[in-house]
Amino acid sequence: MTPETSPRGANPAGTAVDFASVMRRAVALSLNGPAHNANPRVGCVVLDAHGTVIAEGWHRGAGTPHAEVDALSQLSPAQVRGATFVVTLEPCNHTGRTGPCADALIAAGVSRVVFGLSDPGDVEGGGGDKLRAAGIDVIGGVCADDVMAVVRDWYESAALGRAVVTVKWASSLDGRAAASDGTSQWISGEPARERVHLQRSTHDAIAVGTSTVIADNPSLTARMPDGTLYEHQPIPVVIGEREVRGERLGAHPRDAIFLRTRDLSRALVDLRERGIHSLYVEGGPTLASAFVEAGLADRFFIFLAPLLLGGDKLALTDIGVTTLSERVDLAIESIESLGDDIFITARPTHNTKVSTLTHPHREEA
């Protein structure tokens, strides 16, 4: 089944309601919440028995009321009874900093709950089933693609139980990240470099290896073309067993995280426990190759410059492939021209769990 674009249903008064339209309003409300937070952006719209909007709510970040509870707080008990709650994410079914939203809705006596995406968490999920068991009418999967566009990194991170990884590199057409003498600035052109800084600003954190810190003393900030900083700055993460302290990292507006380990799986779980859902892996070839070899690269951002360098300074080194049958197959998602360069977005085809998540299906009512 494919996601339903215009699901309709009758409210308790018998009036037809276009839940897709209401869900899109809930998605818009969710954008009021913080983009980079331990919790996802969630919006909620409440309809009375006649289909009239009587309350709206959204989640304002970890530790604050969830969207459903925010909307509930605006209503009297009489208004809630018989109401329909349209919420972007399935009401949670666990106690964290706040109580389960599913229990709050059941206690309030709502008539129906319509949600966009099922909660992928093993602990947090199951709210829809609890609501159904309590006799509440539940419809899931409404405008799931619209909701996923807002919460994708959080959603994939919750499902995988770790931070989601984007591996980025810039190289010549023959796959070299630097010339034989080690010089690498600048392989890609200015439009590509501007895109890289924009990408940094959309991720929770940015990772490099200890060798990159020692060799390049990077700042790891996200800068606009005029040199000023983007409002959101990724948290610098340095992975490796050597103790390093980059001078320019000390001037970063966010405190750097130093993970003195070679266990990348554990590192990604650690980052998620710190509220980091998306990690931009930028350098160098050793670290990028380690993520690929471990099967932990969820997405690739590849910038190809129209030049040849030859030599041994490869963008990727050993990724554990010794024969063709062990290759890492990629699905190309997009190809874009950026000045003279080519920008490719791709995902590994073996990562079927993430691939399934990014194409949600509608549940039956």
Side-chain angles (χ1 to χ4, degrees):
M1 294 182 293
T2 57
E4 195 168 306
T5 56
S6 299
R8 292 178 179 271
N11 55 39
T15 306
V17 179
D18 180 0
F19 289 130
S21 177
V22 181
M23 183 64 73
R24 284 191 285 270
R25 172 59 185 168
V27 170
L29 288 170
S30 74
L31 297 177
N32 290 316
H36 300 276
N37 190 263
N39 288 355
R41 288 170 150 180
V42 181
C44 178
V45 177
V46 185
L47 309 176
D48 67 10
H50 300 282
T52 301
V53 175
I54 55 175
E56 296 182 334
W58 62 86
H59 183 50
R60 291 164 175 80
T64 67
H66 290 188
E68 303 95 312
V69 175
D70 181 37
L72 270 173
S73 69
Q74 306 167 34
L75 302 171
S76 68
Q79 288 177 301
V80 173
R81 285 190 292 273
T84 294
F85 277 64
V86 179
V87 60
T88 55
L89 189 67
E90 178 185 21
C92 66
N93 188 33
H94 84 299
T95 300
R97 296 187 186 182
T98 59
C101 292
D103 288 353
L105 294 174
I106 291 169
V110 308
S111 175
R112 172 184 286 152
V113 174
V114 179
F115 64 83
L117 282 178
S118 299
D119 194 310
D122 293 334
V123 176
E124 300 88 346
D129 289 338
K130 176 179 279 191
L131 293 167
R132 290 186 182 97
I136 296 173
D137 184 25
V138 177
I139 300 175
V142 176
C143 298
D145 289 335
D146 297 90
V147 179
M148 180 66 86
V150 174
V151 301
R152 184 179 304 277
D153 285 337
W154 173 88
Y155 198 89
E156 292 182 8
S157 176
L160 295 171
R162 59 169 175 81
V164 178
V165 174
T166 299
V167 171
K168 168 264 173 182
W169 71 77
S171 72
S172 60
L173 285 181
D174 56 347
R176 270 62 181 179
S180 294
D181 65 355
T183 55
S184 61
Q185 293 183 327
W186 297 99
I187 285 179
S188 56
E190 185 173 339
R193 297 196 299 273
E194 290 178 2
R195 180 66 62 85
V196 167
H197 281 275
L198 176 61
Q199 292 167 353
R200 289 181 180 185
S201 75
T202 63
H203 285 74
D204 294 333
I206 178 171
V208 295
T210 54
S211 295
T212 296
V213 175
I214 293 171
D216 299 337
N217 188 25
S219 66
L220 301 185
T221 53
R223 301 182 297 278
M224 290 185 273
D226 64 1
T228 57
L229 298 182
Y230 278 99
E231 180 178 357
H232 172 73
Q233 291 294 307
I235 298 172
V237 176
V238 180
I239 302 176
E241 294 179 323
R242 288 182 288 181
E243 184 172 355
V244 295
R245 288 293 184 270
E247 178 182 344
R248 297 177 70 188
L249 281 182
H252 196 285
R254 309 290 297 275
D255 291 335
I257 297 172
F258 294 87
L259 301 177
R260 298 183 66 181
T261 180
R262 291 179 180 270
D263 186 342
L264 296 180
S265 294
R266 179 62 247 174
L268 294 177
V269 172
D270 183 344
L271 291 176
R272 182 172 183 267
E273 290 172 350
R274 297 170 186 251
I276 293 172
H277 303 298
S278 59
L279 181 67
Y280 191 72
V281 177
E282 187 158 358
T286 300
L287 184 62
S289 300
F291 273 102
V292 177
E293 183 177 8
L296 296 172
D298 303 303
R299 181 171 58 182
F300 293 91
F301 287 168
I302 304 168
F303 296 85
L304 297 178
L307 53 91
L308 304 174
L309 291 175
D312 60 353
K313 304 296 184 181
L314 296 170
L316 286 184
T317 56
D318 183 11
I319 59 172
V321 174
T322 59
T323 184
L324 187 61
S325 62
E326 298 173 347
R327 68 188 183 270
V328 178
D329 289 324
L330 302 181
I332 304 298
E333 293 189 334
S334 65
I335 300 175
E336 181 182 354
S337 293
L338 289 176
D340 293 331
D341 301 318
I342 297 172
F343 170 51
I344 298 172
T345 302
R347 289 183 181 266
T349 57
H350 70 79
N351 201 336
T352 54
K353 186 170 186 179
V354 169
S355 177
T356 300
L357 288 174
T358 57
H359 296 85
H361 294 291
R362 184 176 188 272
E363 299 177 2
E364 292 296 331

